[in-house]
Amino acid sequence: MTVPEVMATLKLGRHSVYNLIRSKRLPSITVGRARRIPADAVHRFIKTELESAA
């Protein structure tokens, strides 16, 4: 997924998504100059956040 797609999915701003990537809470890869986040990583992040909130 692209950063804008993750932003839309998580309803977060660009800065917040990049903070999650920098803090290693959201894994990503770089392809050329583009940052990509695996869709399963986003789903895992959501699941982890829900479990920690419960």
Side-chain angles (χ1 to χ4, degrees), residues 18-51:
Y18 278 109
N19 279 343
L20 290 172
I21 292 169
R22 262 191 297 283
S23 68
K24 307 284 190 215
R25 291 175 64 199
L26 191 59
S28 69
I29 59 171
T30 303
V31 180
R33 294 178 62 200
R35 179 73 63 174
R36 296 291 182 257
I37 301 96
D40 65 322
V42 175
H43 297 297
R44 244 179 300 141
F45 173 78
I46 294 169
K47 182 180 176 189
T48 302
E49 290 298 306
L50 285 173
E51 288 172 352

